[in-house]
Each structure stands twice: as structure tokens, then as C-alpha cells.
Amino acid sequence: MLLDALTLQLGYNATLVAIGAALLGTAAGITGTFLFLRKRALVSDAVSHATLPGVCIAFLLMALAGGDGRNLAGLLLGSAVSAGIGLWCMNWLTRNTRLAEDAAIGAVLSVFFGFGIVLLTVIQTLGVGRQAGLEGFLLGSTAGMLYSDALVIAAGGAVTLLLVLLTRRPMTLVAFDPEYAAARGLPVDRIDLLMMGLVMAVTVVGLKIVGLILIVALLIIPAVTARFWSERSDRVVLLAGLFGGIAAYIGAALSASAPNLPTGPIIVLVSFALFALSLLLAPNRGVLAAMLRHMRFQRRVHLRQGLLALAQGQAIYESLTLRLLRRAGLLRADGVATAKGQARAAKALRDERRWEVVRGDVTQEAAAALYDGLRDIETVLTVDQIQEIDRRIDGPREVLS
């Protein structure tokens, strides 16, 4: 069943949902990356919650006009207007009052969402139009999605993705360093507004699939996941789009392959699974990689201290140090250093004395700053510099006639 859904063999409606969700996930992942890099992740939460009053008002207007209150294009238009008003309110509060951005986000989010819930309750009591299923915009609902609905979602996601690709360079610059961007003559406020507008577009388009409560996860989690895999912004953007598309596609397939599984929450859970795997397995920033680096550092410290102890004739009691020395062939089972161990120990002690000279020489301040107790001095100084330090350590030698 799942294989059929993944290969688009489960039926027309499931195929529409999977393709539309994949496009939406890709657009959300790429768009959310700039929001994440700009350190404004919570803005997407405020924008998403601000869409609910627009959905309800649009439904009421279409129903009172005698039309189908659940027309998706009309509902998305209403949500876009409401989200735009919420975004404007948040920016106005941030710029014209002493409220911090997080406080403004909290105010807009709670007021707009509360107003939307009130309107939703009123709609259910009025009995106008076809209000059944309207609450699906909270958590997403793909049951009974029509071709026209899927086309609207796919087209919106594709257009948003195209706009992001066209404006990625200025948005990247503003996300990392708005002051530098302003110094180069870029209109930072307009680019910020464009960034928020793209987030609003993805939020509005994703209401039908993911819902206004969970769309923030599809915007932020893929970007955070991609950050584990790369340090370059262009690669992070591409990876975020890839992770968002994969999570949305697999989540839609899982929802279609089993009865009574909501599409939006499943997509979010798949996205979280990708995040958890990246958190553990990413090669540079993952937890496992960090543990391996710590273990390697620990072994280097124990080996270095063991060599210094051998060079000075001190007893070694630490079991890990003894085990590392024996494994490296530097120490025999009876605790006596091998020839190789004696040479390495003498070299380690000599290097410590060399570093003492370097750290006491004001002319070698840059080299002394690199001392960490483990670095080989040959990687910092030239052969001639090391020979000069050795002459200072050994002192003047008597010339024999």
C-alpha cells in the first residue's frame, strides 16, 4: 500500500495530493531558510495564525453572496488579506512602540487567532453555506481535494519557489548582515518585506495541506535540518528545499496509504524524523560526530600526558593512558617504555621546552597564541626557527681546538 502511494499508483486524488505537497514542501523549506537565517522564525507563526480570520470572513462573504463558501481560491485570498494585515500590525508595533519583536508576535498571534476561533464558532451556529470541513484549515485536510484545489496549491508553490530563486542573493545578504547590505545600497526594508511576503504566500498556499497551526513546522524544520549538513548558505537553501519536498511527499504518501491519518501532522512528523536523523548523523555538526571528536581529543590528551610522564620518569596510573600507550607500541606490558616510546617521549618533552621559549618571547606572540598543549611545533615554526630555539635551550657550546 505504501509502495503504491510512493510510486503514485494509489489513485488520482492521492497523486494530486502527493505532487502538490512535494511542491509546497520544497517552496516552504527554501523560503523558511531565509527566515531562519534572519533569526525571525517566529514571524511565520504569527503570519500563519493571522490567516484564520480571513478564511472565516471570506467564507461568510461567499456564502452570503450565494456562492460556494468553501471555494479554495476565495478562502486563500481571504487568508492572504488577513495575513497581510497581521504582518503589517506586527511591523507597526515593532517600529512605532517599545515592544520587542517577540512581544509583537505574541500579541498579533493571539488576537488574530482568537478572533478567528470566534468567527469559526459563529459560522457553525449560523448554518449558512457549506461550513462542514472548514475547521480543516486548522490542521490541514486533503480528503476530497479536487483537481482545481491541487492546481491552485501546486501553482502557488511553484510561483513562490520561482520568486525565491530570482531574489535569493539579496535576501541571503540581508539575512546574514543587514547593515552591510544597507551600506551596499540594498533596500533592506523592501527585501525584508519581500521575505515576509514569500513566507505569507507559502503559509496561505499550505493551509489546505498542512493547516495554519502546523505550517510553521514545514517552514522552519527543513531549514534547521539542512543547517546540520552544510556551512554554505546556497547549499543550506537547496538542502532545505530537498528535505521539505521529501518530508511532504512521504507524509502525503503515508497519509494516503492508511485510513484516518491526517496529512498535515504526518508531514510534520516525517520532517521531524529527518531532523532527528540529521541531529544524530550529520558529519560535522551532528551529535555522533561531536562525540567522536571529543573521544579523539581525549585520546590525544591522554597520549600526550603519558609521553611527558615517561620522559620525566613518572609513574602512570590512568588506565586509559596505559592502554593507549601500549596500543601504540610505546609501552611494554611490564610498564617499561619501548625504544619507540622513549624517542616519542623525548620528542614530546623537547617540544614542551620549545613552546616555553616561544611563549616567553614577545616577538613570537602570534605563534604562542596557537599553543594548546597538543599541536606539533613543526606546524607553526620553520626548521630554522626551531633550530634557533634549540640553540637557546642548549646554551653556548665550547669550541674544541
Side-chain angles (χ1 to χ4, degrees):
M1 192 73 168
L2 177 59
L3 182 60
D4 291 337
L6 291 173
T7 55
L8 304 179
Q9 302 297 318
L10 205 58
Y12 181 73
N13 186 71
T15 300
L16 286 178
V17 173
I19 294 176
L23 281 173
L24 172 67
T26 303
I30 290 178
T31 305
T33 301
F34 297 101
L35 203 62
F36 167 68
L37 295 176
R38 190 74 168 90
K39 296 180 175 60
R40 304 184 73 183
L42 283 178
V43 171
S44 60
D45 205 15
V47 171
S48 63
H49 283 73
T51 59
L52 185 57
V55 171
C56 296
I57 293 174
F59 173 84
L60 285 172
L61 292 177
M62 289 187 292
L64 293 176
D68 184 1
R70 293 195 304 172
N71 179 270
L72 183 61
L75 294 176
L76 294 186
L77 178 62
S79 65
V81 173
S82 178
I85 295 174
L87 186 60
W88 179 85
C89 290
M90 187 189 68
N91 289 333
W92 188 88
L93 287 172
T94 303
R95 294 178 180 178
N96 297 280
T97 69
R98 294 185 178 181
L99 285 178
E101 187 175 59
D102 56 346
I105 289 172
V108 171
L109 183 153
S110 56
V111 171
F112 274 73
F113 188 66
F115 182 45
I117 293 295
V118 170
L119 289 176
L120 193 61
T121 305
V122 170
I123 289 172
Q124 291 174 345
T125 58
L126 288 179
V128 296
R130 297 167 55 199
Q131 74 268 28
L134 192 61
E135 64 278 359
F137 280 90
L138 294 175
L139 297 175
S141 176
T142 57
M145 181 180 289
L146 303 176
Y147 173 78
S148 58
D149 298 343
L151 189 62
V152 169
I153 293 172
V159 170
T160 303
L161 185 59
L162 179 61
L163 290 174
V164 171
L165 293 177
L166 292 175
T167 58
R168 66 189 186 280
R169 293 187 182 277
M171 286 199 301
T172 301
L173 188 57
V174 170
F176 276 105
D177 196 339
E179 290 79 13
Y180 176 68
R184 291 193 58 181
L186 292 177
V188 176
D189 291 339
R190 293 182 181 179
I191 294 174
D192 259 336
L193 186 62
L194 172 64
M195 198 182 301
M196 296 302 105
L198 291 172
V199 170
M200 185 181 72
V202 171
T203 301
V204 169
V205 171
L207 289 179
K208 183 67 176 177
I209 293 180
V210 186
L212 63 89
I213 294 179
L214 298 177
I215 186 63
V216 62
L218 200 57
L219 281 163
I220 301 303
I221 293 179
V224 177
T225 303
R227 186 65 181 88
F228 282 108
W229 293 93
S230 179
E231 301 287 340
R232 295 183 54 179
S233 60
D234 53 347
R235 293 179 182 174
V236 171
V237 170
L238 292 176
L239 288 172
L242 178 63
F243 287 134
I246 291 175
Y249 183 80
I250 295 178
L254 285 171
S255 176
S257 63
N260 301 322
L261 280 182
T263 305
I266 294 297
I267 290 176
V268 173
L269 290 178
V270 173
S271 185
F272 173 75
L274 293 175
F275 165 78
L277 288 175
S278 301
L279 175 65
L280 293 174
L281 304 178
N284 293 321
R285 300 169 65 91
V287 173
L288 183 59
M291 292 176 60
L292 292 175
R293 284 196 301 270
H294 177 71
M295 292 174 62
R296 287 195 294 267
F297 175 77
Q298 188 180 41
R299 286 196 295 267
R300 290 180 62 195
V301 170
H302 278 266
L303 192 59
R304 181 76 171 183
Q305 295 301 317
L307 289 173
L308 292 175
L310 287 178
Q312 299 175 64
Q314 299 174 353
I316 302 175
Y317 300 102
E318 177 63 45
S319 59
L320 177 58
T321 305
L322 292 171
R323 187 164 60 252
L324 291 173
L325 290 171
R326 289 167 183 161
R327 187 181 303 170
L330 305 177
L331 193 69
R332 296 195 319 221
D334 58 0
V336 178
T338 63
K340 180 182 176 181
Q342 292 174 357
R344 289 276 300 275
K347 171 69 167 53
L349 185 60
R350 185 75 170 181
D351 282 350
E352 283 298 311
R353 292 173 178 171
R354 289 167 173 168
W355 277 115
E356 288 179 6
V357 174
V358 172
R359 295 166 66 190
D361 189 348
V362 294
T363 64
Q364 298 285 352
E365 185 177 354
L370 299 175
Y371 173 76
D372 59 0
L374 299 174
R375 186 186 298 270
D376 292 331
I377 199 170
E378 290 83 2
T379 63
V380 178
L381 302 179
T382 65
V383 175
D384 293 339
Q385 289 175 316
I386 294 175
Q387 290 176 350
E388 175 61 28
I389 292 174
D390 287 343
R391 283 193 292 269
R392 292 170 61 181
I393 293 175
D394 296 335
R397 296 181 180 179
E398 183 179 356
V399 178
L400 299 177
S401 57

